[in-house]
Amino acid sequence: MSKWIVTGGARLSGEVPAHGAKNAALPILAATILLSEPVELRSCPPLSDIEDMCAILRALGCTVARSGDTVRIDASTASHGTLPEALSHRVRSSVFLLGSLLSRFGEACAPYPGGCEIGNRPIDLHRYALERLGVIFCERDGRICARARKLCGAAIDLDYPSVGATENAILAAVRAEGETVISGAACEPEIADLARFLNACGFSVQGAGTPTVRIFGRPNGHGVTHKILPDRIVTGTYLIAGAITRGTVTVTDTDPALVGALLSKLEACGCAITVYGDAIRLSAPERVRELLSLETRPYPAFPTDLQAQMFALLSTARGTSVITENIFENRFRHAAELRRMGAQNEIRGRTAIIRGVKRLHGADVTAHDLRCGAALVLAGLGADGETVIDHAERVDRGYDRMDEAIRLLGGKIQRKEDFDLG
Ligand code: UD1
């Protein structure tokens, strides 16, 4: 457990690079199980979710070695399809491994997946997609067990564009016999990155990043070196950090095309945005304007993973803003924590009404989940006095040393691990 102590007041300024995307790295790590040749992944940051996924791969018999942001995986020694209980509970994305393990071993067994506490996260769409390809499921001692004598290409029509179910279907289909067409697929750029990886390995995935994905099954792939795409949520979080501290922040090593919905909302708030090459500069006004409506929706609309950070920003806007969370049903846990810091907000079902206050003040708060933690760091930076964030280790699930990045920009943040607390 770790507490972070944030002292507000400094206007952030300077440059910070975005690291590789957690949500692209996780399914690509799952995909390495499909290969019996070594793979090298660059821009694969040492986030705790990614390290947990690497530990799961090791438990399955793979050799995994990290050097800086590069991870090498040799899955030729993978020996079975049973996921380790404790680790798999921690990482929801271990569910992606079902598709690749079924493809490799014809069977897979997993505990119900873990991940953020942001609401009920069922896996019915994953199951439906895999069943269409010939998988039979049963539940044994609270575990999901799946079996497929042979995976066969099929038409998969998703009722909702689930990111994980789309990725799992792709992973199970690349070595299936024949053609698979996924309709109603999620269009997130991390899915397109997974497809780029798989195609570089010699598989055939067409249309990823659009609602219709076609997969032509091929028996085997080969090893490659792949660079993970930049993390759009990290990019957005550091831009919002600039906005909430009335500063000027440039995020480098990113892809501005991935954060269009965020940039237009930040401009609507009164921030000046300049895009050049792979960098985005944000220059903040003295006080941001309210947003009459901010709705989270699947890509390319505004991402749910940036909702909490925008909630923190809008808590200090001139007027009243309204946020609607359409993806997860329990993703406003930051609202009560922000109220401890002087924010005024009210939650009505999936909608939050936020009356902007001039300044927030420091308080003792809890990071209930990863993005809630990120939002509290931003709120603390923009507040008067000291904010102590409990369970801040949850931020390490998705941000590579966020505290160091913030200090580089002139912010004051200190990490106290359990043993320092006395
Ligand atoms: C991924 C991201 C996560 C992001 C989310 C939405 C990863 C590792 N995580 O999560 O950061 O917040 O996309 O952009 O990439 N659902 C079902 N049944 C299913 C699957 C999903 O009802 O079988 C529902 C979920 O409960 C949720 C919605 O669909 O309400 C979106 O979930 P999904 O797109 O699957 O998100 P994840 O892949 O879990």
Side-chain angles (χ1 to χ4, degrees), residues 6 30 35 44 57 101 131-132 137 149 163 228 233 260 271 363 366 369 376 379:
V6 183
L35 303 160
C44 189
L57 290 177
L101 288 172
E131 278 167 354
R132 292 290 300 152
F137 281 90
R149 194 166 293 163
V163 176
I228 308 280
I233 307 304
C271 299
T366 301
D369 60 62
L376 294 174

Side-chain angles (χ1 to χ4, degrees), residues 22-23 26-27 92-93 96 118 120-127 160-165 167 188 232 304-305 327-329 331 371:
K22 164 177 89 73
N23 288 352
L26 290 171
R92 178 180 158 82
S93 39
F96 300 136
I118 54 176
N120 185 23
R121 295 177 85 167
I123 57 161
D124 53 317
L125 296 167
H126 297 253
R127 274 184 74 148
Y160 178 86
S162 155
V163 176
E167 291 168 337
E188 269 64 6
R232 60 197 167 96
T304 175
D305 288 350
I327 312 284
F328 293 108
E329 80 273 20
R331 214 176 194 181
R371 306 302 171 187

Side-chain angles (χ1 to χ4, degrees), residues 48-50 80 110 132 175 282 301 318 332 379:
S48 57
D49 265 13
I50 291 183
H80 61 92
R132 292 290 300 152
R175 292 177 68 229
L282 174 142
R318 284 178 195 281
F332 282 136

Side-chain angles (χ1 to χ4, degrees), residues 20-270:
K22 164 177 89 73
N23 288 352
L26 290 171
I28 290 175
L29 283 166
T32 62
I33 283 279
L34 298 168
L35 303 160
S36 48
E37 287 181 15
V39 169
E40 183 173 290
L41 299 180
R42 304 222 170 123
S43 292
C44 189
L47 312 174
S48 57
D49 265 13
I50 291 183
E51 293 306 289
D52 285 347
M53 187 65 150
C54 289
I56 292 174
L57 290 177
R58 282 191 197 98
L60 294 171
C62 306
T63 308
V64 185
R66 173 181 286 283
S67 156
D69 272 0
T70 298
V71 177
R72 289 183 190 81
I73 305 105
D74 181 352
S76 61
T77 47
S79 53
H80 61 92
T82 300
L83 292 174
E85 187 93 18
L87 274 170
S88 312
H89 273 303
R90 290 226 303 257
V91 195
R92 178 180 158 82
S93 39
S94 53
V95 75
F96 300 136
L97 278 160
L98 285 180
S100 11
L101 288 172
L102 281 159
S103 175
R104 173 89 184 253
F105 298 113
E107 58 183 18
C109 223
Y112 271 99
C116 267
E117 295 303 315
I118 54 176
N120 185 23
R121 295 177 85 167
I123 57 161
D124 53 317
L125 296 167
H126 297 253
R127 274 184 74 148
Y128 156 75
L130 295 174
E131 278 167 354
R132 292 290 300 152
L133 297 169
V135 177
I136 295 166
F137 281 90
C138 68
E139 288 184 29
R140 222 181 289 139
D141 307 328
R143 294 168 72 86
I144 318 162
C145 293
R147 217 171 237 287
R149 194 166 293 163
K150 188 167 138 196
L151 290 167
C152 293
I156 299 173
D157 197 354
L158 292 176
D159 283 342
Y160 178 86
S162 155
V163 176
T166 302
E167 291 168 337
N168 223 346
I170 293 174
L171 289 170
V174 283
R175 292 177 68 229
E177 193 176 287
E179 184 182 343
T180 297
V181 180
I182 309 172
S183 320
C187 301
E188 269 64 6
E190 292 75 22
I191 298 172
D193 202 38
L194 171 65
R196 265 192 296 278
F197 168 78
L198 290 167
N199 290 336
C201 295
F203 294 114
S204 178
V205 182
Q206 313 301 324
T210 77
T212 306
V213 182
R214 280 173 202 281
I215 301 124
F216 301 92
R218 302 226 168 124
N220 285 309
H222 53 77
V224 288
T225 295
H226 177 80
K227 185 169 187 267
I228 308 280
L229 94 169
D231 195 308
R232 60 197 167 96
I233 307 304
V234 169
T235 301
T237 302
Y238 291 143
L239 290 174
I240 300 170
I244 204 168
T245 60
R246 295 168 294 147
T248 301
V249 164
T250 302
V251 181
T252 62
D253 300 358
T254 187
D255 180 352
L258 303 179
V259 286
L262 170 71
L263 297 186
S264 51
K265 287 299 179 190
L266 287 171
E267 280 179 328
C269 285

Side-chain angles (χ1 to χ4, degrees), residues 270-353:
C271 299
I273 303 283
T274 319
V275 167
Y276 43 101
D278 66 359
I280 307 168
R281 190 174 86 128
L282 174 142
S283 189
E286 277 309 299
R287 193 168 174 197
V288 293
R289 280 196 294 273
E290 70 279 9
L291 289 179
L292 295 181
S293 169
L294 176 78
E295 297 222 6
T296 65
R297 292 200 186 282
Y299 189 85
F302 195 90
T304 175
D305 288 350
L306 284 172
Q307 181 260 108
Q309 300 87 318
M310 278 304 273
F311 197 122
L313 175 65
L314 294 172
S315 296
T316 61
R318 284 178 195 281
T320 299
S321 305
V322 178
I323 295 184
T324 307
E325 170 58 57
N326 292 303
I327 312 284
F328 293 108
E329 80 273 20
N330 184 22
R331 214 176 194 181
F332 282 136
R333 293 189 75 186
H334 41 281
E337 301 305 314
L338 289 167
R339 284 201 292 273
R340 292 172 188 267
M341 301 178 69
Q344 291 189 9
N345 60 60
E346 194 188 320
I347 307 300
R348 293 188 198 152
R350 286 180 174 268
T351 299
I353 296 139

